[in-house]
């Protein structure tokens, strides 16, 4: 048994990076990091979701529009003869044109980085499993300035530079990801069983 009835990108990414961080966050309920950059990213996501760009109109005009925002899609896969529900939450999606958009802030994104971004592969895999269509993927980079000190979160600001990268994925990419998902899920189960065994 795991702490969630689904397997999300965030869970996968945290466990893959650090099983200990997964244990703290999902088993013991400790809060995750809350850096100024993450705060700014959430504020930008809220602006996009609410379609309210007051004060950042110079950014809005360069960002693609999507018919649906914060769109959840799930699909079942089988791991060791048991069903596991994968969850994807797309920043934006066009279900008619089969486009998934993901917004990113930060200092730098390049085409090479986007082509290798595993989060986009995760989203494309779920979309393909449900619709049978290979989606076009768009990563919308909103460049930000990083302050010399993280003391004042409000120092994180968009520079005004916005760039949209397009990329695609292949069945081969899905095979590689599926193998890694299986490995991570088994690792999470083993970790959870170990922790539950201490109290049961």
């Amino acid at each position: 048994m795991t702490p969630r009835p689904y397997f999300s990108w965030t869970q996968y990414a945290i466990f893959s990076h650090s099983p200990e961080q997964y244990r703290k966050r999902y088993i013991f309920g400790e809060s995750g990091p809350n850096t100024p950059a993450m705060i700014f990213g959430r504020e930008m996501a809220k602006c996009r979701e609410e379609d309210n760009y007051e004060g950042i109109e110079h950014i809005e005009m360069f960002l693609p529009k999507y018919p649906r925002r914060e769109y959840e899609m799930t699909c079942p896969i089988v791991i060791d003869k048991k069903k596991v529900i994968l969850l994807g939450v797309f920043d934006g999606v066009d279900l008619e044109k089969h486009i998934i958009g993901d917004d990113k802030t930060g200092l730098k994104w390049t085409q090479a980085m986007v082509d290798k971004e595993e989060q986009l592969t995760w989203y494309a895999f779920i979309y393909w499993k449900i619709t049978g269509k290979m989606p076009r993927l768009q990563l919308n980079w909103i460049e930000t300035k990083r302050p010399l000190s993280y003391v004042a979160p409000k120092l994180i600001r968009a520079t005004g530079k916005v760039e949209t990268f397009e990329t695609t994925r292949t069945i081969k990419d899905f095979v590689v990801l599926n193998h890694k998902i299986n490995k991570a899920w088994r690792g999470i189960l083993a970790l959870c069983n170990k922790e539950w065994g201490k109290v049961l």
Side-chain angles (χ1 to χ4, degrees), residues 91-131:
D91 286 339
V93 66
D94 189 323
L95 297 173
E96 293 186 1
K97 296 181 179 179
H98 307 296
I99 299 173
I100 296 174
D102 191 48
D103 300 334
K104 296 291 187 188
T105 58
L107 292 174
K108 183 178 181 181
W109 278 89
T110 65
Q111 186 66 55
M113 292 167 65
V114 173
D115 290 339
K116 295 178 180 179
E117 174 58 31
E118 200 168 41
Q119 185 174 4
L120 293 177
T121 310
W122 182 283
Y123 291 166
F125 181 52
I126 292 174
Y127 192 94
W128 173 75
K129 289 278 286 183
I130 293 300
T131 68

Side-chain angles (χ1 to χ4, degrees), residues 73-78 86 90 100 118-135 137 169-171 173-179 181-182:
M73 186 174 279
T74 61
C75 78
I77 62 171
V78 177
L86 298 185
F90 311 147
I100 296 174
E118 200 168 41
Q119 185 174 4
L120 293 177
T121 310
W122 182 283
Y123 291 166
F125 181 52
I126 292 174
Y127 192 94
W128 173 75
K129 289 278 286 183
I130 293 300
T131 68
K133 303 289 186 179
M134 191 67 74
L137 303 166
R169 294 297 184 266
T170 66
I171 300 298
D173 294 321
F174 296 159
V175 171
V176 172
L177 177 64
N178 189 60
H179 174 75
I181 288 172
N182 276 251

Side-chain angles (χ1 to χ4, degrees), residues 16-169:
S16 298
H17 176 70
S18 171
E20 176 62 18
Q21 288 301 315
Y22 179 94
R23 184 178 71 87
K24 290 180 179 179
R25 181 164 175 178
Y26 288 100
I27 298 179
F28 293 106
E30 297 182 13
S31 59
N34 197 32
T35 66
M38 294 176 70
I39 293 172
F40 180 87
R42 287 196 297 272
E43 290 175 349
M44 182 61 65
K46 184 177 180 181
C47 288
R48 292 277 273 164
E49 186 176 3
E50 297 178 353
D51 199 24
N52 177 12
Y53 296 92
E54 184 177 356
I56 55 170
E57 294 85 354
H58 61 296
I59 295 174
E60 182 270 340
M61 68 178 69
F62 297 108
L63 289 169
K65 299 271 189 180
Y66 302 100
R68 299 172 185 268
R69 299 284 311 172
E70 297 299 316
Y71 186 80
E72 292 189 6
M73 186 174 279
T74 61
C75 78
I77 62 171
V78 177
I79 300 178
D80 299 331
K81 299 182 179 181
K82 294 184 178 180
K83 185 169 70 173
V84 176
I85 302 298
L86 298 185
L87 169 67
V89 183
F90 311 147
D91 286 339
V93 66
D94 189 323
L95 297 173
E96 293 186 1
K97 296 181 179 179
H98 307 296
I99 299 173
I100 296 174
D102 191 48
D103 300 334
K104 296 291 187 188
T105 58
L107 292 174
K108 183 178 181 181
W109 278 89
T110 65
Q111 186 66 55
M113 292 167 65
V114 173
D115 290 339
K116 295 178 180 179
E117 174 58 31
E118 200 168 41
Q119 185 174 4
L120 293 177
T121 310
W122 182 283
Y123 291 166
F125 181 52
I126 292 174
Y127 192 94
W128 173 75
K129 289 278 286 183
I130 293 300
T131 68
K133 303 289 186 179
M134 191 67 74
R136 288 167 50 202
L137 303 166
Q138 295 179 335
L139 186 143
N140 308 305
W141 172 41
I142 303 158
E143 185 184 54
T144 55
K145 289 183 178 179
R146 180 176 295 175
L148 296 177
S149 170
Y150 273 3
V151 173
K154 292 184 178 180
L155 290 178
I156 293 282
R157 283 292 179 263
T159 66
K161 179 179 179 180
V162 177
E163 189 170 355
T164 293
F165 299 94
E166 293 216 0
T167 188
T168 58
R169 294 297 184 266

